[in-house]
Amino acid sequence: MPALRAGATLVGMTIKARVHDGRFVVDEPTSLPEGTEIELLPLDPGDWLNDSDRAALHAALGESGADIAAGRLVEAADVLKGLRSR
C-alpha cells in the first residue's frame, strides 16, 4: 500500500471501535500502514459549525427566505439541467 500523505482522506473506509475504560478499542484488522494516524468522528456528530460558519449559514438562510418571499425561485430540475449541460 502506498504511503499516505498528511491530511489525506480515506474515502469509503470505515473502522468500527468501541469504548472500553475510556479508550477506543478496534476489533477489526486494517491494511493501513503501521503508525498511520486516524481521526475518529462520532456517527452522529451533531453540529460541527464554528461561530463564523454558523453565522454564514444563518445569513444564507435569511437570504433564501427573502428570495422565496420575493418569488425569486428556480426549479431544481432547471438547475440540474444547467449543470449537466456544462
Side-chain angles (χ1 to χ4, degrees):
M1 177 178 218
L4 297 175
R5 63 178 168 69
T9 300
L10 300 172
V11 177
M13 178 175 222
T14 300
I15 298 173
K16 291 183 181 180
R18 60 185 171 80
V19 177
H20 180 76
D21 289 333
R23 296 189 176 262
F24 294 106
V25 177
V26 179
D27 294 326
E28 302 173 3
T30 178
S31 60
L32 293 173
E34 197 67 32
T36 299
E37 290 184 6
I38 62 168
E39 182 175 329
L40 300 175
L41 301 173
L43 288 177
D44 182 15
D47 185 357
W48 286 348
L49 298 177
N50 61 31
D51 291 341
S52 171
D53 290 339
R54 187 172 296 101
L57 171 63
H58 286 274
L61 291 172
E63 291 171 16
S64 275
D67 286 339
I68 291 169
R72 293 185 297 263
L73 302 174
V74 179
E75 293 291 329
D78 294 337
V79 172
L80 293 173
K81 183 179 176 182
L83 290 172
R84 288 187 193 110
S85 69
R86 290 185 183 183

